Amino acid sequence: MRLILLRHGEAGFDAAKDELRSLTDNGRFQLRQLLQQHSQELAGVQRIVHSPYVRTCQTAGLVREVQPIDAESLNLLIPESSPQNVVNWLSEQSDDSLLLVTHQPLIGLLVSLLCEGDLTRPEPMLPGAMAIIELAFPAAGLGQLQKLLR
């Protein structure tokens, strides 16, 4: 499985709840640049799965401008989710290439768990950062980080 992990773009702090925070104009601009510059990395992605938060829905929408594929929301991808539960979910998926749009701290912990086998060194994924991981099988320590794009 080729797994692409994308942290949502820069979001504002003007919403009543964290779940409702939207991407800033700068966040949209930076994401569009990243996605256009690395559109070849998105070729072959079969599905986008994102958290239900506004900023990840918006980020998934920007990905769909470059790679028009199905997108779906998954509560498992909220910031506080267990990385192991996400890995367990991944092991049940049949996609050859999958893109997950999520948040810190989950995304950094996922990179650490999949590539290092533990949670001791989470990857410091900034807004709009993308990690590409190759997995023979989705399990702790079996992933190989191919690229980290910012």
Side-chain angles (χ1 to χ4, degrees):
M1 170 187 280
R2 184 167 179 262
L3 179 65
I4 300 175
L5 298 174
L6 175 62
R7 184 173 175 199
H8 63 79
E10 177 186 270
F13 291 96
D14 55 352
K17 294 170 48 175
D18 185 45
E19 296 87 0
L20 301 177
R21 292 175 49 216
S22 293
L23 295 178
T24 63
D25 290 341
N26 186 52
R28 283 186 190 85
F29 176 77
Q30 289 179 341
L31 272 171
R32 279 191 174 106
Q33 279 192 316
L34 174 85
L35 295 169
Q36 288 171 359
Q37 288 172 357
H38 301 287
S39 61
Q40 73 279 1
E41 303 296 344
L42 302 174
V45 171
Q46 296 167 289
R47 188 166 48 126
I48 303 167
V49 183
H50 56 85
S51 98
Y53 288 19
V54 169
R55 59 192 179 271
T56 53
C57 296
Q58 292 171 328
T59 298
L62 292 173
V63 173
R64 293 186 74 218
E65 289 177 8
V66 176
Q67 186 71 21
I69 54 175
D70 290 339
E72 63 190 71
S73 176
L74 182 67
N75 285 334
L76 187 61
L77 296 178
I78 64 171
E80 303 82 20
S81 288
S82 158
Q84 185 59 57
N85 288 346
V86 176
V87 171
N88 294 345
W89 176 84
L90 283 169
S91 70
E92 299 168 357
Q93 306 309 302
S94 60
D95 306 89
D96 291 327
S97 186
L98 181 63
L99 186 145
L100 303 183
V101 182
T102 189
H103 313 262
Q104 278 289 33
L106 179 61
I107 193 168
L109 292 169
L110 275 171
V111 173
S112 180
L113 182 60
L114 288 169
C115 298
E116 302 294 329
D118 61 46
L119 301 172
T120 58
R121 292 181 301 212
E123 187 65 42
M125 303 279 290
L126 298 174
M130 185 165 51
I132 301 170
I133 300 171
E134 289 290 337
L135 296 157
F137 181 80
L142 296 184
Q144 295 212 337
L145 183 62
Q146 302 294 307
K147 291 185 183 177
L148 186 58
L149 306 168
R150 296 183 175 127

